[in-house]
Structures are given as structure tokens and as C-alpha cells.
Amino acid sequence: MKTPYKNIYNVLKLNRFIILAVVVCALLSSTFSVWMVFNTNQKALNSAFAINTDGSIIPLKLVTQKENFRVEALAHLDMFHNYFYNIDASNYERNLEKALWLGNSSVDNLYRQKKADGVYNRLLQYSLVQKVLSIDSRISENDGSYGFTTTIIFEINRGTIIDTYELVSTGNLIMVDRNFPNNPHGLLITNYFENTLKKLNDES
């Protein structure tokens, strides 16, 4: 007795069903895998881990990291502007040297420009005292990069005359290795620029 042949169309339908089932399973598996990778990546971005003294793992949230960065950034900007603008004939070289550790070539270029313009020579010649009265910095974040705008109020004491000025500066902050005591916050000022400078008042 001969074995009857199966209907070729039934065989093709079965093969097509099997192929479609495999493709659908592969797509579902791939989609699930991508979702798992994305979810794991998001959790990793939002959390960091530190080892406690007893060996346990402590989760540190990204929010806390950003808050810590903000504190460090404000302290860094305060330190820089104090060193760069709070100067007199006796301390300007020492203060400016410290300020240059806190910024990149944009700060160095501004320093060289001021030096070429005779700013520091006048400081020595007339025994001027430039004193910072207040520093107000605002930090902004855009796609992982940090910018700042700082308003400095300072006065220049010419002995019998005291002039008060407002300076607005801008720039960016990048993270670098800490270098104590030269750069304790591990940040570097880039693209530094003095935007506006205006005299507020004169006092005799």
C-alpha cells in the first residue's frame, strides 16, 4: 500500500506558520531585551554606589550627586572670583597664581590681556586696593554641560576715592582631577568671559 502524499499547500501553510511564529518570538525577545537594557541603564544613571566602612553597599542617588556638584561648583566660582578680583599691591601675584589653577587658557588669556593693558602696573603704581564685596553665581545645565553667570560687586580704593563696580562674567565648568590645595573642588572654568562692567557709584 502506497503512503499518500500530503497536500503541498498544507505543508507550505504549516511552514509559513512556523516561520511567522519564530519571527514573532524573535521580535518579542529582542524588544524585551532592549527594554531590559534601557531600564538597567536608566537605573545605573540614577544611582551610584559606595562601599561603607562595614563593607555594605550604599546607593547614592543622582539627585544627591547633582546637589553635591552644585555646592562644589558654587564654592569653586566663589574661590576663583575672590582670587582673581580681590587683589592689592601686596597679594595680587599670589592671588592670581591661585586663580589660574582654577581655569583653563581662557582665564590665562584674560590675565595676560589685563597685564598688557597695564591693570596690574597701575595697581602697584597707585597702591590701589581692589576688594570684592559680593559674589552671586547662577549655574545652568544643558545636555550634561554646565554653564554659569556670576555677578561680582567690588570696589577700588584709591585712597581718597572709592569707586564701586558691578562685573558680570560667564563661562562653563568641567570636571577634572582634584589637586589639593591648588584645585580642591576638581572643577575647571572654561570659556571665561567678562561680559559687562559698570560703575555703580563714587564715594569720597
Side-chain angles (χ1 to χ4, degrees):
M1 183 178 180
K2 294 182 179 181
T3 304
Y5 290 103
K6 294 182 179 180
N7 189 309
I8 187 66
Y9 294 107
N10 291 336
V11 173
L12 291 176
K13 286 181 180 179
L14 179 61
N15 288 343
R16 185 171 62 178
F17 174 78
I18 294 173
I19 291 171
L20 286 175
V22 170
V23 170
V24 170
C25 289
L27 287 175
L28 290 175
S29 178
S30 299
T31 303
F32 180 73
S33 299
V34 170
W35 178 81
M36 285 294 294
V37 170
F38 177 78
N39 191 43
T40 303
N41 184 58
Q42 287 298 108
K43 288 181 179 179
L45 287 176
N46 289 326
S47 300
F49 298 92
I51 305 299
N52 201 357
T53 52
D54 60 359
S56 60
I57 297 177
I58 307 172
L60 303 174
K61 293 299 180 183
L62 184 61
V63 173
T64 304
Q65 291 178 331
K66 288 184 177 181
E67 288 176 354
N68 291 340
F69 175 86
R70 185 176 182 82
V71 171
E72 297 263 15
L74 290 174
H76 186 85
L77 292 171
D78 190 78
M79 179 183 292
F80 166 76
H81 287 94
N82 264 306
Y83 282 145
F84 203 73
Y85 298 100
N86 203 54
I87 54 177
D88 57 40
S90 65
N91 70 8
Y92 82 98
E93 289 184 332
R94 181 174 64 254
N95 280 8
L96 291 173
E97 181 181 356
K98 292 178 179 179
L100 292 176
W101 276 97
L102 306 178
N104 73 345
S105 58
S106 61
V107 174
D108 184 64
N109 290 338
L110 178 61
Y111 159 71
R112 292 177 185 276
Q113 180 184 333
K114 287 177 177 287
K115 188 175 182 180
D117 291 342
V119 172
Y120 306 120
N121 283 337
R122 289 193 293 273
L123 196 74
L124 292 171
Q125 183 178 356
Y126 300 106
S127 298
L128 304 180
V129 177
Q130 184 170 294
K131 181 181 179 181
V132 173
L133 302 178
S134 67
I135 299 172
D136 180 28
S137 296
R138 299 181 184 277
I139 300 170
S140 59
E141 181 184 1
N142 184 19
D143 294 332
S145 62
Y146 294 91
F148 69 85
T149 300
T150 299
T151 302
I152 311 107
I153 307 296
F154 66 92
E155 65 181 21
I156 298 180
N157 189 326
R158 295 179 169 84
T160 58
I161 299 175
I162 298 177
D163 294 327
T164 304
Y165 297 86
E166 178 188 85
L167 172 69
V168 177
S169 65
T170 58
N172 298 98
L173 288 169
I174 60 174
M175 287 179 280
V176 296
D177 291 336
R178 294 178 190 268
N179 185 337
F180 186 83
N182 297 317
N183 191 337
H185 300 107
L187 296 170
L188 197 69
I189 294 171
T190 64
N191 303 317
Y192 186 70
F193 185 72
E194 293 181 342
N195 285 269
T196 60
L197 175 66
K198 64 179 180 180
K199 184 185 290 188
L200 297 181
N201 64 341
D202 295 331
E203 295 182 11
S204 56

